[in-house]
Amino acid sequence: MLISLCIAIPAGVLAALKKGSAIDQGIMVIVMAGQSMPVFWVGILLIMLFSIQLRWLPTGGYGGVRYIIMPAIALGFNLMTLTTRLLRSSLIEVMETDYIRTARAKGLKSKAVIMKHALRNSLLPVVTVVGLQMGALLGGSVVTETVFAWPGVGQMLVQAIQYRDFPLVQATIITLAGGFVLINLVVDVLYVFIDPRIHLK
């Protein structure tokens, strides 16, 4: 999640501000290609490049930070492309609103208009999607865990179902459901800080 947001937010803002330019088109080509690539394919490509060719990272297994780099990139890549596309379209829409034109007419600097007014109001749909994706990452990364031989929650749940370990299945599902509820609560609270108008309603 951290990897995807650190890349997606600057890329989405840059694509929106350079709408129609070569930079925008290049970012959107990468985004569309990334969204069409399944997670397991990205994982295999990462293994071929960084493990087999360059020999920088281990192919899989559980250990220190080096073992989690490729699984994190593989999981975050798809979310990064989705967040970039969503932020770009949301920011373009916000930049065409009346209050942005008013802020510019007042003589505010372009950076202040973008960071203080436009970006803040375009983050609402992004926060919603990120919250849902965060919940899905808790237990929906079975394929990535299988590719990198990572002993995660998703793989544990699948094995519990295969071995008919019903108490473990129930405990895992309750834990994942609680995680979803907690993340949705955090997202709702974040709405208040992002858009003060929500607090007034």
Side-chain angles (χ1 to χ4, degrees):
M1 182 64 69
L2 185 61
I3 291 172
S4 64
L5 291 180
C6 287
I7 298 173
I9 293 176
V13 172
L14 183 62
L17 296 179
K18 303 288 184 180
K19 179 184 174 184
S21 67
I23 295 175
D24 179 30
Q25 293 175 1
I27 291 174
M28 292 312 295
V29 166
I30 295 172
V31 164
M32 297 308 293
Q35 284 200 291
S36 63
M37 294 169 64
V39 176
F40 72 88
W41 178 247
V42 176
I44 292 172
L45 291 178
L46 290 173
I47 290 173
M48 290 176 61
L49 177 61
F50 293 107
S51 296
I52 297 174
Q53 296 293 330
L54 300 175
R55 300 183 183 276
W56 288 353
L57 298 170
T59 55
Y62 179 80
V65 177
R66 295 176 69 245
Y67 288 86
I68 202 173
I69 292 174
M70 287 197 298
I73 292 173
L75 275 175
F77 187 69
N78 190 265
L79 176 61
M80 180 268 292
T81 56
L82 174 63
T83 308
T84 301
R85 189 165 63 95
L86 186 63
L87 180 59
R88 176 189 176 273
S89 60
S90 178
L91 189 56
I92 288 173
E93 184 179 345
V94 169
M95 291 293 287
E96 296 174 354
T97 55
D98 291 335
Y99 69 89
I100 295 297
R101 284 193 287 268
T102 303
R104 284 178 169 168
K106 286 181 178 179
L108 291 177
K109 293 182 180 180
S110 180
K111 185 178 179 180
V113 172
I114 294 166
M115 300 303 293
K116 204 170 183 180
H117 300 284
L119 182 60
R120 185 173 180 178
N121 288 293
S122 62
L123 283 178
L124 287 177
V126 175
V127 169
T128 303
V129 170
V130 167
L132 294 173
Q133 291 295 323
M134 185 70 175
L137 285 176
L138 291 176
S141 54
V142 181
V143 176
T144 307
E145 292 168 3
T146 304
V147 170
F148 293 100
W150 185 269
V153 177
Q155 197 172 40
M156 181 185 67
L157 178 60
V158 172
Q159 290 175 352
I161 293 171
Q162 290 174 344
Y163 293 117
R164 298 180 182 276
D165 189 351
F166 296 118
L168 181 57
V169 172
Q170 291 172 338
T172 307
I173 290 175
I174 289 173
T175 303
L176 294 177
F180 262 101
V181 172
L182 181 62
I183 289 169
N184 281 317
L185 177 62
V186 172
V187 168
D188 289 340
V189 172
L190 284 175
Y191 285 164
V192 178
F193 293 99
I194 294 173
D195 191 352
R197 294 173 298 177
I198 297 175
H199 185 67
L200 298 174
K201 294 182 180 179

